Each structure stands twice: as C-alpha cells, then as structure tokens.
C-alpha cells in the first residue's frame, strides 16, 4: 500500500528498478492489463485510524491477540487474522499514538464479520472509538 517494493536482487526498494522489472514482465508475458484481469478481485477497506494516546499500545495488541488466539494471529506487525476469504488487522502506528485497522475480503459480509471479530477482542472504550471510525469511513 505504501508503494515500496523491495527487491531481493538489490536488498532495498528502487523505483527505476521496479519500472524496469515491469518492462521485463510485459516483454515476457504480454499485456499487463490482461494479466491483471486474471487476478481475483477483493474488497479492501480504507485504513481506519483510532486515537490511542491513553493506551499502552503494545499491551493492548497483546491483549487483542490473546483474545483472538483461536485464530492463530500473525504478530509480525500488530495483530493480523487471515482466512481463505480474506484478512483483518490492527496495528500500532510507529509515528503517532494511534491504532490503524484495515480489512480485505471477497465479500462485504466477510469484512463485516472480521470487523465484528476485532471489535469483540477490544475493551469497550477502544471498541467504541473503532465503531466511530468505521461509521466515519463509510460512504
């Protein structure tokens, strides 16, 4: 989402290298648009940002992960739950005292289920802030 693509060949990201890689892919496989049409389409929510300056953010994420332990959360960057239908995550910002949440799935119903799952793992104050963020983000 940040637009940074890291390349094993370089050990870092590089915009010019990314452009050249895309040229190589198109030369080898043909139309980029036709390749993209073959990819599955998922719904990706906006990033929901929630004030957290009154929270111990690492402990809060630990608590959420513990409550979601049955889903075997990925803890690399926050708490991420993945299923065959999509994923949801909450993470702490590294630059501001906020939690960010994002969801991706095959259907709106899945995204709603994942949002509810995360809400159920939060204390009531944080859950209310997240509900407000969801409401503000809906168009």
């Amino acid at each position: 989402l940040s637009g940074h693509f890291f390349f094993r060949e370089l050990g870092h990201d590089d915009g010019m290298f990314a452009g050249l890689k895309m040229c190589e892919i198109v030369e080898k496989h043909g139309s980029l648009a036709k390749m993209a049409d073959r990819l599955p389409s998922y719904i990706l929510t906006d990033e929901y940002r929630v004030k957290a300056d009154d929270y111990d953010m690492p402990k809060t994420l630990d608590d959420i992960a513990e409550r979601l332990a049955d889903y075997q959360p990925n803890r690399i960057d926050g708490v991420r739950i993945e299923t065959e239908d999509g994923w949801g995550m909450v993470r702490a910002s590294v630059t501001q005292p906020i939690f960010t949440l994002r969801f991706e799935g095959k259907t709106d119903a899945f995204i709603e289920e994942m949002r509810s799952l995360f809400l159920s793992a939060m204390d009531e104050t944080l859950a209310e802030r997240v509900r407000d963020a969801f409401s503000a983000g809906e168009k």
Side-chain angles (χ1 to χ4, degrees):
L1 297 173
S2 69
H4 292 268
F5 296 92
F6 292 81
F7 298 96
R8 184 175 296 129
E9 300 98 314
L10 302 176
H12 56 84
D13 66 334
D14 183 286
M16 182 65 73
F17 189 77
L20 291 171
K21 276 292 195 187
M22 290 308 302
C23 290
E24 180 182 318
I25 290 167
V26 168
E27 179 182 38
K28 184 175 180 180
H29 299 286
S31 167
L32 187 58
K34 287 181 182 176
M35 285 186 280
D37 286 343
R38 294 191 302 258
L39 295 174
S41 179
Y42 289 85
I43 301 162
L44 178 63
T45 67
D46 290 334
E47 181 177 74
Y48 302 104
R49 301 166 57 87
V50 180
K51 179 183 147 199
D53 55 352
D54 53 342
Y55 277 88
D56 176 338
M57 294 169 72
K59 180 181 181 331
T60 302
L61 291 173
D62 288 344
D63 292 346
I64 291 169
E66 185 177 317
R67 291 181 192 120
L68 297 175
D70 289 348
Y71 297 91
Q72 301 176 333
N74 177 322
R75 293 300 314 275
I76 291 174
D77 184 23
V79 179
R80 180 178 169 117
I81 304 296
E82 298 181 29
T83 75
E84 64 184 37
D85 293 324
W87 57 267
M89 75 170 301
V90 58
R91 64 179 295 276
S93 170
V94 296
T95 59
Q96 302 172 39
I98 61 171
F99 289 115
T100 59
L101 295 94
R102 191 155 220 169
F103 305 92
E104 180 180 80
K106 293 180 180 179
T107 65
D108 288 327
F110 172 83
I111 288 175
E112 190 55 42
E113 287 175 33
M114 191 61 65
R115 289 181 1 171
S116 295
L117 178 66
F118 274 83
L119 286 170
S120 73
M122 297 174 183
D123 71 45
E124 190 50 44
T125 301
L126 183 56
E128 188 59 37
R129 290 179 191 173
V130 170
R131 281 187 206 95
D132 290 345
F134 290 163
S135 294
E138 293 173 355
K139 305 199 175 27

